[in-house]
């Protein structure tokens, strides 16, 4: 028998005190118990989980206990001997269909969570709650959404929205509607702005979840149809417009958003939508000029090529195969998608959003020009090192170039912001943590975002736990706050952080990625979150909260530089098309040399700062999207893949934080039910559940529990 260390903390919540605005959840006595099991007993016959190289965790039965060595017969038939510290107890009573709220699991550990998600997924139950949120406010909960890769329309129809309206969180199955509903009601009842942070890797389902949240918020905050387009219609229709210009087929997702976005929905005091704003982050610009097989460029290019003939004639377009920016890849069509229909739908959505037909024409003219620009070939010029466009056609096309996502400005001005709005619900759809074989500047920025959001999450959860324990007079002094400030300092401290050093390198003409890497090695040689991989001359590794990532610096300098060549700027500013000239307003004359330098890294850092400021004034809710397989197919749940995403999404870290406190909560009555067999005499009928719990705990002689009544 291995040592038993168990903590029991029995908390009592006085009825009414915690559920101010909640009527339906009947916590009756409002009592619950927090139980922390740091290690558990292992005896012959115990059911356990052991690590497995193929499927991450496999279950089995303990055959022999030999000190620290445990012999386990796995369900696969093989026998393994493992260290006791690597063995986790399996709950023999866990329902085979899983539980929708994982805080109800008897053991809140990695294999238990994985098993629960898998059993649910096998039954098309794609949502589950992880991490014990805070019942007082319903914030801090994490909804896990596993991509079904199949249509489940019954989950999202108007009947479903009606069901979630007004239902208490936890009363119905976990769902994005439940999260949106909780956020909406908290906003109305408490007058506090809310945010819903949706993250996950590419193809995990962030955009789909975001759309569901927006759909629900529009349903709750919509007004009766007026003669004009309503704000919520505009907000919803901004999605297809953004997708047309900012989404593309990649190997990981046929409709991948190549930018992050924060949609801020503003409400009036009566809870009706009164305005909205979209903020976007880090559009992948390089895709416009460079696409690799079998990916596609942004959808809008193919749509325009498939437009009705009067439009294609006007824009002098035709077969996408004729354009260099599209024919670098052999993929032109998408399964089940008709680009000509998408073109019409995008035009309709632009109408709804309030983009006039002249503006639409200007936008599509720019899109067409980009395709033509890509076909310009250059010939050697007369002067040394110079080149000239090969022919007249090329000169014509050179006058029109633009940056696509400026469309966002148009959407924002058209939807309109409500400057009087006191509260808002923000929905953040942002790329999750990324770690590939090669990681460049984009991954660096994405991972910085995730570090910042993780810190925000940690602080929030920790603060809430602290408040909860203080209220219950539970001693929490031993709970350590996990902080990742050191990684953030490493990346963004000014002066001296990686971004600052990168900016410095970009300003210095003789810098190369190698000199930049050398500078990093020198500066951070003793930093515990930084290392130089052996055998590499220019890579560096950061130890992120979600794991180590090695970055290749080759393109860091080029990708960080952000300027438009002065001559190009002048040319575009002079455009007779006001849409084009508006994209490149003239620069202020007096700007000094240093302020002229603008870097993507620093600008992104500022954007993040402002995002975090907004988020800090809100109560956060979390949705972690999980992609169960890389084949984008239904019914395949790859354990290792999922586990890695749970780690990267901070789910495991969140659970670790919870485990630092009291991870498992059970009502008193359940506790007595489950453990009274240890001392059946406590159920003598003379005492209530609280007293029975106390007697039980005393009887079994456990140390280290707290009872607060
Ligand atoms: N709830 C869902 N029901 C049915 N299918 C879904 C659901 N969520 C996602 N999918 C499928 O998965 C695809 C990818 O989802 P989505 O575009 O939302 O991913 P993403 O996380 O936003 O990816 P990226 O970061 O690449 O933009 C969708 O096009 C859809 O086919």
């Amino acid at each position: 028998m291995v040592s038993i260390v168990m903590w029991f903390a029995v908390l009592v919540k006085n009825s009414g005190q915690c559920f101010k605005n909640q009527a339906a959840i009947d916590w009756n006595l409002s009592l619950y118990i927090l139980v922390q099991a740091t290690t558990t007993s292992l005896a012959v016959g115990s059911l356990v989980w052991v690590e497995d190289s193929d499927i991450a965790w496999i279950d089995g039965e303990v055959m022999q206990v030999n000190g620290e060595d445990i012999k386990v017969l796995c369900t696969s038939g093989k026998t393994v001997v493992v260290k006791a510290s690597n063995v986790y107890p399996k709950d023999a009573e866990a329902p085979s269909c899983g539980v929708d709220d994982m805080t109800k699991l008897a053991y809140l550990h990695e294999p238990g969570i994985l098993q629960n998600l898998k059993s649910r997924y096998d039954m098309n139950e794609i949502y589950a709650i992880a991490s014990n949120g805070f019942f007082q406010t319903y914030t801090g909960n994490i909804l896990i959404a596993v991509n079904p890769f199949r249509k489940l329309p019954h989950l999202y129809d108007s009947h479903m929205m009606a069901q979630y309206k007004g239902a208490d969180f936890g009363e119905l199955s976990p769902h994005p509607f439940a999260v949106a509903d909780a956020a909406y009601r908290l906003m109305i009842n408490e007058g506090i702005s809310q945010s819903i942070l949706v993250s996950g890797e590419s193809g995990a389902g962030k955009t789909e979840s975001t759309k569901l949240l927006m759909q629900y918020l529009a349903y709750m905050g919509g007004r009766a149809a007026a003669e004009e387009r309503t704000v919520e219609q505009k907000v919803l229709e901004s999605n297809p417009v953004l997708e047309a210009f900012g989404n593309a087929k990649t190997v990981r997702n046929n409709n991948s958003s190549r930018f992050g976005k924060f949609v801020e929905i503003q409400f009036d005091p009566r809870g009706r939508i009164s305005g909205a704003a979209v903020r976007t982050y880090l559009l992948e610009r390089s895709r416009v000029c460079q696409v690799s097989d079998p990916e596609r460029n942004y959808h809008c290019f193919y749509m325009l090529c498939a437009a009705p003939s009067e439009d294609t004639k006007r824009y002098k377009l035709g077969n996408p195969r004729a354009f260099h920016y599209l024919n670098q890849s052999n993929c032109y069509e998408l399964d089940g998608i008709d680009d000509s229909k998408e073109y019409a739908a995008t035009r309709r959505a632009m109408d709804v959003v309030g983009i006039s037909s002249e503006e639409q024409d200007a936008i599509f003219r720019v899109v067409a020009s980009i395709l033509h620009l890509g076909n310009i070939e250059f010939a050697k010029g007369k002067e040394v090192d110079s080149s000239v466009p090969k022919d007249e056609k090329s000169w014509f096309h050179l006058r029109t170039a633009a940056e696509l996502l400026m469309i966002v400005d148009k959407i924002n001005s058209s939807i309109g912001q409500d400057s009087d709005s006191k509260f808002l619900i923000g929905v953040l759809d942002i790329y999750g943590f990324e770690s590939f074989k090669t990681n460049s500047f984009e991954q660096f920025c994405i991972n910085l975002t995730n570090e910042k959001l993780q810190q925000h999450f940690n602080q929030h959860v920790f603060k809430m736990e602290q408040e909860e324990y203080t209220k219950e007079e539970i001693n929490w002094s031993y709970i350590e706050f996990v902080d990742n400030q050191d990684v953030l300092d490493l990346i963004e401290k000014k002066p001296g952080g990686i971004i600052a050093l990168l900016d410095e390198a970009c300003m210095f003409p003789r810098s190369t990625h190698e000199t930049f890497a050398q500078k990093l090695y020198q500066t951070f040689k003793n930093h515990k979150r930084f290392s130089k991989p052996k055998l590499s001359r220019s890579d560096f590794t950061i130890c992120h909260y979600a794991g180590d990532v090695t970055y290749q610096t080759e393109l860091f300098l080029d990708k960080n530089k952000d300027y438009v060549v002065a001559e190009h700027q002048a040319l575009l500013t002079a455009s007779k098309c006001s849409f084009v000239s508006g994209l490149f307003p003239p620069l202020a004359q007096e700007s000094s040399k240093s302020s002229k330098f603008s870097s993507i890294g620093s600008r992104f850092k500022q954007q993040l700062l402002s995002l975090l400021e907004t988020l800090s004034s809100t109560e956060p809710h979390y949705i972690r999207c999980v992609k169960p397989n890389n084949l984008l197919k239904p019914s395949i749940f790859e354990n290792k893949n999922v586990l890695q995403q749970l780690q990267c999404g901070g789910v495991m870290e969140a659970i670790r934080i919870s485990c630092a406190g009291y991870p498992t909560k059970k009502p008193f009555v359940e506790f007595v039910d489950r453990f009274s067999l240890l001392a059946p005499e406590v159920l003598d009928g003379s005492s209530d559940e609280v007293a029975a719990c106390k007697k039980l705990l005393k009887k079994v002689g456990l140390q280290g529990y707290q009872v607060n009544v």
Side-chain angles (χ1 to χ4, degrees), residues 147-150 156 201-208 253 255-257:
N147 191 338
F149 286 118
R150 66 155 61 101
Y156 310 117
E201 69 173 48
S202 181
K206 299 182 291 295
T207 306
E208 295 300 318
N253 181 359
N255 181 33
S256 180
S257 313

Side-chain angles (χ1 to χ4, degrees), residues 591-656:
S591 56
S592 71
K593 201 166 184 214
S594 66
S595 66
K596 239 192 225 161
F597 176 78
S598 148
S599 81
I600 298 274
S602 298
R603 203 148 53 88
F604 185 57
K605 203 178 99 180
Q606 284 308 319
Q607 274 188 310
L608 280 184
L609 194 71
S610 134
L611 172 67
L612 265 294
E613 265 167 24
T614 308
L615 293 181
S616 301
S617 63
T618 65
E619 292 280 3
H621 308 253
Y622 302 89
I623 300 186
R624 299 293 197 234
C625 300
V626 172
K627 190 175 171 181
N629 64 73
N630 291 328
L631 303 168
L632 320 186
K633 293 238 158 71
S635 309
I636 305 174
F637 188 97
E638 297 169 353
N639 280 4
K640 286 180 107 175
N641 200 339
V642 171
L643 206 53
Q644 207 223 346
Q645 291 173 62
L646 295 178
Q647 264 148 8
C648 291
V651 176
M652 291 306 167
E653 181 77 355
I655 288 166
R656 211 168 66 78

Side-chain angles (χ1 to χ4, degrees), residues 208-229:
E208 295 300 318
S209 301
T210 301
K211 285 192 277 195
L212 292 169
L213 295 169
M214 288 169 69
Q215 187 189 329
Y216 190 84
L217 293 174
Y219 167 75
M220 294 296 281
R223 48 188 89 212
E227 63 290 352
E228 254 202 84
R229 303 281 187 198

Side-chain angles (χ1 to χ4, degrees), residues 142-266:
I142 302 180
L143 176 76
I144 310 260
V146 188
N147 191 338
F149 286 118
R150 66 155 61 101
K151 294 219 179 308
L152 302 171
H154 64 284
L155 276 185
Y156 310 117
D157 56 20
S158 53
H159 171 70
M160 213 52 166
M161 287 203 278
Q163 275 201 323
Y164 279 90
K165 182 175 179 174
D168 275 301
F169 197 83
E171 193 185 328
L172 299 173
S173 304
H175 197 292
F177 291 165
V179 177
D181 189 74
Y184 182 79
R185 282 197 292 146
L186 265 177
M187 178 188 74
I188 300 290
N189 294 338
E190 312 275 334
I192 306 171
S193 289
Q194 308 289 311
S195 55
I196 306 171
L197 286 73
V198 186
S199 69
E201 69 173 48
S202 181
K206 299 182 291 295
T207 306
E208 295 300 318
S209 301
T210 301
K211 285 192 277 195
L212 292 169
L213 295 169
M214 288 169 69
Q215 187 189 329
Y216 190 84
L217 293 174
Y219 167 75
M220 294 296 281
R223 48 188 89 212
E227 63 290 352
E228 254 202 84
R229 303 281 187 198
T230 57
V231 180
E232 67 274 9
Q233 273 177 310
K234 291 184 180 185
V235 171
L236 290 181
E237 286 305 306
S238 66
N239 283 322
V241 179
L242 288 174
E243 288 188 18
F245 294 91
N247 285 31
K249 176 199 153 59
T250 67
V251 276
R252 294 184 295 154
N253 181 359
N254 286 346
N255 181 33
S256 180
S257 313
R258 310 310 298 156
F259 61 102
K261 74 169 184 277
F262 184 67
V263 183
E264 194 178 299
I265 303 177
Q266 296 139 358

Side-chain angles (χ1 to χ4, degrees), residues 180-399:
D181 189 74
Y184 182 79
R185 282 197 292 146
L186 265 177
M187 178 188 74
I188 300 290
N189 294 338
E190 312 275 334
I192 306 171
S193 289
Q194 308 289 311
S195 55
I196 306 171
L197 286 73
V198 186
S199 69
E201 69 173 48
S202 181
K206 299 182 291 295
T207 306
E208 295 300 318
S209 301
T210 301
K211 285 192 277 195
L212 292 169
L213 295 169
M214 288 169 69
Q215 187 189 329
Y216 190 84
L217 293 174
Y219 167 75
M220 294 296 281
R223 48 188 89 212
E227 63 290 352
E228 254 202 84
R229 303 281 187 198
T230 57
V231 180
E232 67 274 9
Q233 273 177 310
K234 291 184 180 185
V235 171
L236 290 181
E237 286 305 306
S238 66
N239 283 322
V241 179
L242 288 174
E243 288 188 18
F245 294 91
N247 285 31
K249 176 199 153 59
T250 67
V251 276
R252 294 184 295 154
N253 181 359
N254 286 346
N255 181 33
S256 180
S257 313
R258 310 310 298 156
F259 61 102
K261 74 169 184 277
F262 184 67
V263 183
E264 194 178 299
I265 303 177
Q266 296 139 358
F267 292 84
D268 67 15
R270 295 169 63 193
R272 288 176 172 173
I273 295 179
S274 54
V278 183
R279 289 190 230 172
T280 57
Y281 302 91
L282 275 188
L283 171 71
E284 183 189 45
R285 299 188 205 184
S286 58
R287 180 169 296 270
V288 176
C289 314
Q290 250 175 3
V291 197
S292 48
D293 205 47
E295 301 205 338
R296 287 210 319 177
N297 211 316
Y298 288 101
H299 296 327
C300 59
F301 293 116
Y302 306 88
M303 287 178 190
L304 196 54
C305 288
S309 61
E310 75 248 35
D311 285 2
T312 48
K313 269 192 202 130
R314 190 149 38 110
Y315 302 125
K316 300 190 174 59
L317 294 177
N319 193 329
R321 288 166 181 78
F323 294 98
H324 175 63
Y325 285 165
L326 310 184
N327 65 22
Q328 297 165 48
S329 159
N330 283 318
C331 178
Y332 297 96
E333 277 114 34
L334 295 181
D335 281 349
I337 303 284
D338 178 341
D339 281 313
S340 61
K341 285 197 182 136
E342 295 294 311
Y343 177 73
T346 304
R347 284 279 197 171
R348 272 197 305 277
M350 289 169 106
D351 286 339
V352 176
V353 167
I355 302 178
S356 70
S357 51
E358 291 76 38
E359 286 163 332
Q360 291 180 28
D361 180 59
I363 290 167
F364 281 111
R365 211 139 36 92
V366 170
V367 173
S369 311
I370 291 172
L371 287 183
H372 288 296
L373 267 177
N375 279 6
I376 296 170
E377 286 180 66
F378 289 92
K380 218 170 166 346
K382 285 188 191 128
E383 288 159 34
V384 189
D385 275 352
S386 74
S387 53
V388 287
K390 226 164 97 181
D391 46 32
E392 265 313 298
K393 185 174 134 248
S394 307
W395 278 111
F396 164 75
H397 288 303
L398 258 182
R399 283 191 214 105

